[in-house]
Amino acid sequence: MKFCVEFIDECSGTNVRQAIEDKREASQEPVQPYLICLVPDASISKMFAVVDNKTVEINSSSFVKGLDILFKIYHVFNVNYPTGWSRFLSFLEWGFYKIDHRKLTNTMKDLITRIEG
């Protein structure tokens, strides 16, 4: 799985449970934790964290809050980041959560220095 966020048009009538099952069946690898965001228009109406085929509703429509919860899920369950998101989540890991700086590239460290400065 390359992405850890899936946006579903709420008006399309897509069933969240069916979308989760479809993703699991289509995957060649284990499905890592991810977010499902229901979007009826340009904003998020509902958000779910999907972990090991279990769905937990996130009581917020803030995408930042959803990413925060997803990030914490990866750490609580000690799961590797999806390939396409590993640099971004490593950046958050050190830049915002101050967890581990060994994975950062020099460019990431420079960006964090600029943000903090």
Side-chain angles (χ1 to χ4, degrees):
M1 184 168 132
K2 295 179 181 165
F3 304 106
C4 56
V5 180
E6 182 173 335
F7 294 94
I8 297 176
D9 180 0
E10 191 173 31
C11 299
S12 70
T14 301
N15 179 296
V16 172
R17 175 57 44 203
Q18 188 61 49
I20 293 167
E21 291 300 324
D22 291 348
K23 182 178 286 290
R24 183 170 290 283
E25 288 176 12
S27 179
Q28 302 292 323
E29 305 169 346
V31 177
Q32 295 167 306
Y34 64 100
L35 291 178
I36 290 181
C37 301
L38 298 181
V39 288
D41 48 37
S43 61
I44 296 171
S45 65
K46 284 187 178 180
M47 203 168 4
F48 302 91
V50 181
V51 183
D52 197 27
N53 213 26
K54 306 284 188 257
T55 307
V56 178
E57 185 171 354
I58 298 171
N59 294 322
S60 175
S61 61
S62 166
F63 185 68
V64 172
K65 180 67 173 175
L67 279 179
D68 174 62
I69 290 171
L70 184 65
F71 178 84
K72 290 173 181 174
I73 287 170
Y74 277 102
H75 280 270
V76 166
F77 292 105
N78 195 27
V79 178
N80 290 330
Y81 300 139
T83 304
W85 286 76
S86 63
R87 285 194 180 211
F88 173 71
L89 292 171
S90 293
F91 173 79
L92 290 182
E93 191 175 291
W94 189 76
F96 294 93
Y97 295 97
K98 305 292 186 207
I99 296 175
D100 186 359
H101 63 82
R102 291 172 289 163
K103 298 179 201 170
L104 294 180
T105 65
N106 288 335
T107 304
M108 292 169 147
K109 290 177 185 175
D110 183 51
L111 179 59
I112 291 168
T113 300
R114 290 178 189 205
I115 291 172
E116 290 177 339

